[in-house]
């Protein structure tokens, strides 16, 4: 743990195990509520500690260090999360980009000048706005991307000159600690960031309700997000929660591209991605051809040791999660779905599963299923597809494959989601665009520039 600028260890430890081998990969301290309060009170004093050029330098140099150490990061991510090294390498490359874009944003924080003479009483005034750091940001991150979920919060928080208290996932804290060490190696004042690890049931409420915190930025499940929204009280909140992410494939689509996108979106990181594909809505006229292509591509994937270079699908985070996915596949089959291939479980691994004829109310498609599954739901037309996407409680990102502009426009206008991706999947990502959901998928936006906005407050100065 990093408290008051010092790495401290407690005797109470929690073990981190490799989900594939079951072997211990490390231990971390278990913080107490009192330690969390202490860490937050100290970090609070260190917001606004740096100039823009210092923040730029720290983030840029950290990006270079992460790039240089990419092999170590890949090994760390893979061993604590079970992510295959192919996916972990992509995660490290993305972290480097996120850090570089954060560094650039550190230099772009500006305000406005406003003529106030829209009313008689203010006709002789001029106002300017400046954006100030929000203060102490509490960052709480999930297991599924042990590096990026941390970088996507700490990058903009530091760019905006905030101090941070980070609570990484209790399942994958080791990569997060390694990354914070890199920030400090590259000049971040150690008291500007605190790291607390341990049991969320023990420290979670103490952390989010702590009086020193000005903002909570949380990524994780809907259930924990809703709990945090109630516990945190009157502080700024960004919540990035789950999704039942949909890919729509219309009968005029480029099928080969749609299949390739479906494979990447449904099985990437073994299906444990908030913006991954959790259901595929395929037009009835092309369903047979689409499923044939999907099966062919799916059967080529190699499930195996996450550390092997040729493995495509590693493990889920633990056996409990894999059992849940297995249960949802069985439930869909009981309700009439056909299991085309995959879906078999060995400990924490599941072979990639295609299901067709999936009933629209099955849990596998209505809830967020965090596993390598491609459930196909037949749709009649674009109206039917859009209304079914909108039927779940989530609304993060939806992809639509069509070569008909009218259908693309209809979907863009009618889908109740944070982003509509035309001719790509919901997994599309760029650090330049806003990212976040509507409905139960969350509140606020990430994407570096947009996160900087959330993590700053506007001060108005009137002359
Ligand atoms: P989780 O909700 O179980 O845990 C997320 C974090 O919250 C962890 O650090 C955990 O320790 C902490 N936590 C748990 N209880 C807490 C409490 N009472 N107070 C404070 N913190 C608490 O989620 P997970 O299983 O780690 O991650 C998977 C979930 O994350 C999925 O639902 C997925 O969709 C979601 N996710 C969303 C996005 C997004 O950007 N929308 C990205 C990745 C993952």
């Amino acid at each position: 743990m990093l408290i008051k600028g010092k790495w401290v260890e407690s005797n109470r430890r929690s073990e981190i195990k490799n989900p594939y081998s079951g072997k211990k990969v490390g231990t971390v301290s278990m913080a107490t509520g009192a330690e969390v309060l202490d860490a937050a009170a100290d970090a609070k004093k260190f917001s606004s500690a740096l100039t823009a050029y210092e923040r730029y330098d720290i983030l840029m140099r950290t990006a270079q260090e992460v790039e240089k150490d990419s092999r170590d990061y890949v090994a760390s991510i893979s061993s604590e999360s079970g992510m295959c090294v192919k996916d972990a390498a992509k995660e490290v490359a993305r972290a480097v980009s996120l850090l570089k874009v954060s560094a650039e944003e550190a230099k772009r924080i500006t305000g406005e000048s406003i003529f106030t003479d829209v009313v008689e009483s203010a006709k002789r005034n001029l106002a300017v706005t400046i954006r100030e750091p929000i203060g102490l940001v509490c960052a709480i991150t999930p297991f599924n991307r042990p590096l990026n979920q941390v970088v996507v919060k700490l990058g903009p928080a530091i760019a905006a000159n905030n101090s941070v208290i980070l609570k990484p996932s209790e399942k994958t804290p080791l990569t997060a600690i390694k990354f914070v060490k890199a920030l400090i190696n590259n000049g971040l004042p150690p008291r500007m960031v605190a790291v607390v690890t341990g049991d969320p049931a023990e420290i979670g409420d103490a952390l989010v309700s702590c009086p020193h915190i000005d903002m909570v930025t949380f990524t994780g499940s809907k259930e924990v997000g809703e709990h945090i929204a109630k516990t945190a009280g009157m502080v700024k909140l960004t919540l990035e929660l789950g999704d039942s992410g949909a890919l729509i494939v219309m009968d005029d689509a480029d099928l080969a591209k749609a299949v390739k996108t479906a494979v990447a979106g449904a099985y990437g990181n073994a299906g444990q991605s908030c913006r991954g594909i959790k259901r595929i809505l395929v037009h009835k006229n092309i369903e047979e051809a689409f499923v044939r292509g999907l099966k062919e591509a799916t059967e080529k994937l190699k499930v195996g040791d996450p550390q092997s270079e040729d493995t495509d699908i590693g493990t889920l985070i633990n056996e409990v999660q894999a059992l849940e996915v297995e249960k949802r596949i069985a439930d869909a089959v009981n309700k009439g779905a056909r299991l085309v291939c995959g879906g078999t479980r060995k400990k924490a691994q599941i072979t990639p599963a295609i299901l067709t004829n999936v009933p629209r109310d099955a849990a596998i498609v209505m809830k967020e299923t965090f596993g390598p599954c491609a459930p196909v739901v037949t749709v009649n037309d674009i109206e039917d597809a859009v209304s079914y996407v909108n039927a779940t409680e989530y609304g993060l990102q939806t992809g639509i494959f069509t070569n008909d502009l009218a259908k693309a426009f209809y979907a863009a206008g009618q889908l109740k989601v944070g982003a509509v991706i035309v001719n790509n999947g919901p997994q599309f990502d760029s650090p330049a665009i806003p990212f976040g959901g509507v409905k139960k998928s969350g509140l606020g936006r990430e994407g570096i520039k947009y996160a900087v906005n959330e993590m700053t407050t506007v001060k108005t100065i009137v002359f």
Side-chain angles (χ1 to χ4, degrees), residues 243-248 250 278-282 357-367 375-395 398 410 414-417 439:
D243 194 22
S244 49
L247 177 71
I248 301 172
M250 285 290 107
K278 318 282 178 5
R279 49 193 173 137
I280 310 177
L281 283 52
V282 184
N357 204 28
V358 178
R360 294 188 177 203
D361 61 350
I364 197 166
V365 280
M366 288 306 280
K367 294 187 177 172
V376 175
V377 174
T378 318
V379 292
N380 300 318
D381 49 37
I382 186 69
E383 288 81 9
D384 184 26
V386 166
S387 98
Y388 181 55
V389 173
N390 289 343
T392 74
E393 59 181 342
Y394 292 111
T398 298
Y410 177 81
Q414 298 302 315
L415 284 165
K416 305 275 180 277
V417 292
K439 294 159 60 181

Side-chain angles (χ1 to χ4, degrees), residues 141-143 149 167 170 218-221 240-242 274 368 435:
T141 56
F143 74 80
Q149 296 295 357
K167 199 211 76 59
E170 71 281 12
F218 168 81
T219 299
S221 60
E240 297 293 348
L241 311 178
C274 59
E368 177 183 54
F435 173 70

Side-chain angles (χ1 to χ4, degrees), residues 55-67 92-108 151 155-156 159 179 431 448:
R55 276 135 47 208
Y56 172 90
D57 274 353
I58 292 163
L59 291 164
M60 229 8 136
R61 278 191 272 122
T62 306
Q64 284 153 4
E65 180 174 323
V66 173
E67 199 162 26
V92 177
R94 183 167 164 243
V96 173
S97 311
L98 290 169
L99 284 164
K100 289 182 180 167
V101 177
S102 298
E104 286 155 4
E105 283 306 322
K107 291 185 172 178
R108 289 190 192 132
V151 174
F179 171 67
I448 305 298

